[in-house]
Amino acid sequence: MFAIVREPIEPRRLEEAIRAGDGGAVTFLGIVRGRAEDGRAVSGLSYEAFEPLATSEFAKIADEARERFGDVALTIVHRIGELGTGEISVAVVASAARRVAAFDACRYAIDELKRRAPIWKKERYADGSARWRENRENLL
Amino acid sequence: MRAGAVPVHGTHPIVIRVLAFGRLRELLNAGETALDIRAGSRVGDAWSALADRCPALDEHRSSTRIACNGRIVALDHVLRDGDEVALLPPVGGG
């Protein structure tokens, strides 16, 4: 499943889709941190996405993971809207016959998502200020 | 002309739909806007028209990717009536 959602992400529900017969599954959860890189207290994040392009990019990333690591099943879900610290912003579940492929595919999927999925976030600080934050690994 | 559309030089305009995200959405003060441009215009012409309206846009030109109908395109991509052009600043997902 590849999706942009507005409601809280429930990892256990995503893990229910792990394929019967697979021998290993890896779940990555991205969580809103309480501190910015410069140490400022974060009150929350606002995410937005270009939804059709984001979900098609997730599917493309999963295709690439299968080319690289073999028969891997991937679920990629990103939440948008207002998120508080401690909430899950993104979940990647990878499953495969063996653990190495599951680990590799999970890592590949989150790294590529951060690099190129059309999703944006604004960091909101405890002092009331806010700013748009770009990923270091940005494609550009 | 449609309400809210901005005319650009030429007598036979086409209308494109412009979507803007993140800081570009804030700069343009709109997530979506209609833009009248001359038939045969390219993506770069649409950018210039938007930058005329919002000069602060121009400093973001080199960091912005542009998608036309869901596909990343270059500035010389020729636009057609009804195209959806999305302005994508550097991403921050995850």
Side-chain angles (χ1 to χ4, degrees):
Chain A
M1 176 177 60
F2 310 112
I4 297 290
V5 299
R6 285 164 179 78
E7 63 275 12
I9 291 173
E10 298 178 48
R12 294 301 307 173
R13 295 202 47 190
L14 301 179
E15 288 169 348
E16 283 169 12
I18 292 168
R19 297 182 302 189
D22 275 350
V26 174
T27 298
F28 171 83
L29 303 176
I31 297 166
V32 179
R33 274 190 300 267
R35 294 254 162 220
E37 279 173 16
D38 61 6
R40 296 166 77 186
V42 171
S43 58
L45 298 178
S46 308
Y47 283 97
E48 63 184 67
F50 185 15
E51 293 186 49
L53 196 58
T55 50
S56 69
E57 204 64 37
F58 294 172
K60 215 180 286 176
I61 289 169
D63 285 343
E64 293 165 11
R66 277 187 290 276
E67 279 168 27
R68 287 164 183 254
F69 310 114
D71 183 23
V72 181
L74 272 164
T75 293
I76 305 174
V77 177
H78 202 298
R79 186 176 167 194
I80 58 171
E82 303 295 324
L83 275 71
T85 56
E87 289 198 280
I88 298 168
S89 57
V90 60
V92 177
V93 181
S95 73
R98 307 189 71 82
R99 74 181 183 285
V100 173
F103 273 116
D104 288 348
C106 187
R107 173 73 188 260
Y108 180 80
I110 186 61
D111 286 356
E112 288 301 305
L113 179 154
K114 289 181 76 80
R115 201 169 74 87
R116 64 194 230 216
I119 300 169
W120 298 274
K121 69 167 165 274
K122 193 170 201 178
E123 208 163 52
R124 301 189 180 282
Y125 306 104
D127 65 5
S129 61
R131 76 177 167 124
W132 291 99
R133 294 305 308 264
E134 299 164 5
N135 291 337
R136 236 182 269 111
E137 50 277 83
N138 229 281
L139 187 60
L140 290 168
Chain B
M1 197 199 321
R2 204 148 92 187
V6 176
V8 176
H9 53 82
T11 51
H12 302 289
I14 58 171
V15 182
I16 61 167
R17 199 156 69 95
V18 178
L19 307 180
F21 296 92
R23 67 183 79 218
L24 302 182
R25 172 178 57 73
E26 287 186 345
L27 273 181
L28 288 168
N29 212 15
E32 181 174 341
T33 184
L35 189 67
D36 279 21
I37 51 175
R38 187 166 43 88
S41 290
R42 295 167 190 268
V43 166
D45 300 321
W47 177 275
S48 299
L50 289 166
D52 283 348
R53 191 200 300 188
C54 173
L57 204 58
D58 252 345
E59 69 179 88
H60 298 279
R61 175 60 214 103
S62 64
S63 65
T64 301
R65 283 187 298 160
I66 299 176
C68 182
N69 302 328
R71 200 168 53 85
I72 303 294
V73 295
L75 287 177
D76 63 358
H77 178 82
V78 176
L79 294 166
R80 296 174 187 282
D81 193 38
D83 276 354
E84 176 196 84
V85 171
L87 310 181
L88 314 175
V91 299

